[in-house]
Amino acid sequence: MSSVLAAERPTVAEPSSVVPFRIAAIDASLGAEVTGLDATRPVPAAQVRALKEALLERHVLVLKQQRLDDTQFERLASYFGAVFRPPSNVPVLGSDPYGGNTPDIVRVSNVDGGVLGHDELAAHADHHWTPVPSSGSLLYGIEVPSEGGDTTWYNLAAAWDELDAGTQREIEHLRLITYNPFLRKLKPLTTGFPLYRTPDIAPLEPFEVHPLVRTHPDSGRRILYLGARTEVEIVGVDPQYGAALIARLRQHLLQPRFAYTHRWSVGDIVYWDNQATLHARSAFDNGERRVLKRISLSGSRPY
């Protein structure tokens, strides 16, 4: 851990037996650890404000040692926004195959009817392919494997900042389609999963056009809004040029200097800004149990 964030604002003296509320930056491009938060009870206003300020600055918050039932978990999430609900014809994690019936709490698990299994997951932003992607998610660790299943977040604001000026000028007004991976699973190609849609591939519908470089709605920071292995297309450019540009940008944003890898402990709740980060998961032994619960929050149309 590095310094305590300026956003921390303890307001009352705590008994010596109680861990004081504290937000400390993690020694990485993003991330902060939160201790002394009791989310089994209503969270004090000063702490909610401190958490919001820290998220805006650090993009990922690790809330330690939580023991919440679903009602308490939902109440915690509601301090930060309403639950994300996608259009009924746009499938997302946990929904019906063609969209609809998405639960408020998604069970991310390799057992007991959960979703996502045990394999490695490439770096992505949740709901990127929807008209109004989620602003963030809270993921709660219930059971974790002894090894693997780690989550890595990438700082897309820093990735934009560190691009050379020429590349920034080249891409700042480009528009991007991120095609829905759940629809691609329903319509697989014999050539495998494409990283860039070329004219010989029929576009998956419905799709949305968003900026390749978006503006964060709260901080105003510019963000390189691109997943690592999603099927994409830059609107109105030569496909060969577009594919080469996307490959170059992906190589840039996945540099370790933009990353923080979290080793899960039972009771961790990680709250991340889905507008400014990607997240990936390492594989783990399917003979072990990994059970987490996720609530995603509504967002705004990228601009």
Side-chain angles (χ1 to χ4, degrees), residues 19 25 30 54 61 77 90 94 105 107-108 141 147 155 165 177 209-210 236 240 248 253 260 300:
V19 177
L30 69 173
L61 302 182
V90 179
I105 299 179
R107 187 179 176 88
V108 181
E147 186 176 359
N155 187 336
I177 299 170
V209 179
H210 293 314
Q240 186 173 358
R248 175 159 56 97
L253 66 84
Y260 160 64
S300 55

Side-chain angles (χ1 to χ4, degrees), residues 1-299:
M1 298 296 161
S2 63
S3 61
V4 177
L5 293 178
E8 180 188 356
R9 295 287 186 271
T11 57
V12 295
E14 300 282 0
S16 59
S17 61
V18 176
V19 177
F21 177 73
R22 184 173 186 268
I23 304 175
I26 291 169
D27 187 15
S29 176
L30 69 173
E33 185 176 277
V34 181
T35 51
L37 177 72
D38 181 4
T40 63
R41 303 177 179 182
V43 180
Q47 293 185 6
V48 173
R49 184 62 185 169
L51 292 169
K52 290 185 175 185
E53 291 175 352
L55 184 77
L56 195 60
E57 179 182 345
R58 298 297 297 171
H59 308 310
V60 176
L61 302 182
V62 181
L63 283 55
K64 302 297 292 184
Q65 298 181 339
Q66 301 300 313
R67 298 291 187 273
L68 308 182
D69 60 29
D70 285 354
T71 298
Q72 293 165 337
F73 186 30
E74 290 174 317
R75 182 179 62 197
L76 174 64
S78 70
Y79 286 111
F80 309 109
V83 173
F84 169 79
R85 293 192 173 95
S88 60
N89 64 337
V90 179
V92 297
L93 185 69
S95 73
D96 288 346
Y98 287 93
N101 295 319
T102 308
D104 288 353
I105 299 179
V106 176
R107 187 179 176 88
V108 181
S109 170
N110 66 319
V111 294
D112 304 331
V115 297
L116 287 183
H118 69 286
D119 294 326
E120 178 182 0
L121 299 175
H124 62 283
D126 292 335
H127 316 123
H128 196 154
W129 54 91
T130 65
V132 183
S134 59
S135 64
S137 292
L138 294 90
L139 189 60
Y140 179 22
I142 309 298
E143 299 180 59
V144 300
S146 60
E147 186 176 359
D150 302 339
T151 305
T152 298
W153 280 270
Y154 294 88
N155 187 336
L156 297 181
W160 163 261
D161 290 343
E162 294 299 319
L163 283 170
D164 63 89
T167 301
Q168 287 183 341
R169 288 192 298 269
E170 181 183 7
I171 70 173
E172 64 178 340
H173 299 301
L174 295 177
R175 296 178 300 152
L176 186 75
I177 299 170
T178 298
Y179 290 101
N180 191 324
F182 294 95
L183 290 178
R184 177 54 68 202
K185 288 180 181 179
L186 297 172
K187 301 178 180 180
L189 302 173
T190 58
T191 53
F193 190 91
L195 299 180
Y196 194 92
R197 191 192 81 82
T198 49
D200 58 306
I201 301 172
L204 294 166
E205 296 182 338
F207 62 80
E208 288 292 324
V209 179
H210 293 314
L212 174 58
V213 182
R214 71 174 293 179
T215 301
H216 195 283
D218 299 314
S219 70
R221 294 188 68 180
R222 306 302 300 280
I223 296 160
L224 181 57
Y225 197 47
L226 172 68
R229 295 191 60 82
T230 43
E231 179 181 351
V232 300
E233 175 187 0
I234 299 177
V235 177
V237 306
D238 175 78
Q240 186 173 358
Y241 163 77
L245 176 60
I246 289 298
R248 175 159 56 97
L249 293 174
R250 284 171 164 162
Q251 184 177 28
H252 168 75
L253 66 84
L254 292 176
Q255 293 180 77
R257 63 188 173 124
F258 301 135
Y260 160 64
T261 296
H262 181 66
R263 174 67 186 140
W264 287 88
S265 297
V266 172
D268 287 350
I269 296 178
V270 180
Y271 174 26
W272 70 90
D273 187 339
N274 197 52
Q275 303 158 129
T277 65
L278 302 179
H279 57 283
R281 184 187 74 186
S282 65
F284 61 97
D285 185 348
N286 201 33
E288 294 199 62
R289 294 173 61 91
R290 185 179 189 269
V291 179
L292 302 97
K293 294 180 178 181
R294 192 193 75 181
I295 298 175
S296 294
L297 304 174
S298 61

